[in-house]
Amino acid sequence: MSIPIDTGTTVTLHFALALEDGAVVDSNFEGKPATFSIGDGSLLPGFEETLFGLRATDEREFLVPPEKAFGQHNEQNVQVVAMDNFDALEIEIGAMFSFQNGDGELPGVIADIVDGEVMVDFNHPLASKNIVFQVKIVDVVPENLH
């Protein structure tokens, strides 16, 4: 007998993330399903909450708004970086670079180049986008009680 997805369960599923135009961002339908525990941080809470109540063999598609997915685009996350930070690297609009910050690496996309200054967008590439979240639940099991 299958149990519903809830806090305290481990879920095995196939999933896909796509844009509203159908462009697939990420999918594991062609490979092995993913397994994770509800609440372990593997999924953003806005994606995880759509799964509650689903059971093994359920297939669903959800439209997750930006606030529950990768956030809204924030202009404060677009920063000016001096051209000389790029050395001889070939820079062009749309190119992605990793920048060091206090917590490690932060990816940024070159948004514009004006008068020797590079505008770098540190927003998540999927910020402000509605995400189509497709799931096929393979298995739901209670977590082991110790």
Side-chain angles (χ1 to χ4, degrees):
M1 177 171 136
S2 72
I3 63 169
I5 294 173
D6 201 347
T7 303
T9 58
T10 296
V11 181
T12 301
L13 57 71
H14 284 287
F15 73 90
L17 301 179
L19 301 178
E20 286 182 290
D21 66 4
V24 175
V25 176
D26 191 11
S27 174
N28 73 354
F29 275 97
E30 302 299 316
K32 289 177 56 174
T35 299
F36 68 97
S37 296
I38 292 292
D40 72 359
S42 294
L43 280 183
L44 289 170
F47 291 100
E48 197 172 82
E49 71 186 25
T50 65
L51 301 177
F52 280 79
L54 297 181
R55 297 172 184 265
T57 74
D58 284 350
E59 293 185 55
R60 296 283 189 284
E61 183 173 295
F62 304 96
L63 186 64
V64 182
E67 310 71 67
K68 294 192 175 232
F70 298 97
Q72 293 289 359
H73 188 271
N74 182 345
E75 277 305 315
Q76 292 180 337
N77 290 340
V78 179
Q79 314 244 328
V80 175
V81 178
M83 185 77 84
D84 57 11
N85 283 306
F86 294 94
D87 297 327
L89 295 173
E90 190 173 325
I91 61 170
E92 58 187 38
I93 293 173
M96 182 181 276
F97 286 90
S98 272
F99 296 87
Q100 294 296 325
N101 72 359
D103 301 325
E105 289 195 357
L106 184 65
V109 175
I110 296 177
D112 205 359
I113 303 167
V114 181
D115 297 332
E117 290 185 329
V118 182
M119 304 298 288
V120 181
D121 187 346
F122 291 102
N123 283 288
H124 190 285
L126 298 174
S128 77
K129 305 250 193 280
N130 287 318
I131 303 296
V132 177
F133 181 43
Q134 299 170 306
V135 296
K136 179 178 182 181
I137 309 303
V138 176
D139 198 15
V140 181
V141 295
E143 290 180 0
N144 295 332
L145 301 174
H146 297 288

